[in-house]
Amino acid sequence: MNISFTKKQEEYISRQVASGEYQNNSEVIRDALRLHQIYRDKVVADLRAEIEKGIGSGPSCRSVQDIIESKGKTGKSA
């Protein structure tokens, strides 16, 4: 597998190895991917929880127009 990095990314990877925290470039990338997976799993779980909360709250008595108008008046989420 070939992966291309920007110069800035290459410098960051090199600094991480030079710091002694990682033994080589591959360790930096594996750690980055592990952290990315944790982050993505949390984002998806949080979104699913919000969707479930919305479904569980039942139908709204407000119309779409009511919501749009309330956002325009207050500038905040309704």
Side-chain angles (χ1 to χ4, degrees):
M1 178 182 299
N2 288 327
I3 301 172
S4 299
F5 296 103
T6 65
K7 186 70 175 161
K8 187 175 181 178
Q9 290 168 332
E10 288 177 357
E11 290 169 355
Y12 177 81
I13 293 166
S14 294
R15 283 195 311 273
Q16 297 307 302
V17 174
S19 76
E21 189 172 349
Y22 300 94
Q23 290 185 357
N24 56 50
N25 296 348
S26 293
E27 282 187 0
V28 177
I29 302 307
R30 283 193 296 269
D31 194 38
L33 288 172
R34 181 185 61 79
L35 292 172
H36 179 264
Q37 184 174 5
I38 290 168
Y39 169 78
R40 290 283 296 168
D41 290 348
K42 181 173 179 0
V43 167
V44 170
D46 290 350
L47 286 172
R48 285 187 176 142
E50 289 299 313
I51 290 168
E52 288 301 318
K53 187 166 51 169
I55 291 170
S57 70
S60 175
C61 60
R62 297 168 57 194
S63 71
V64 172
Q65 189 61 39
D66 292 338
I67 295 168
I68 291 169
E69 288 174 3
S70 71
K71 289 179 78 66
K73 290 177 186 174
T74 64
K76 298 179 183 176
S77 296

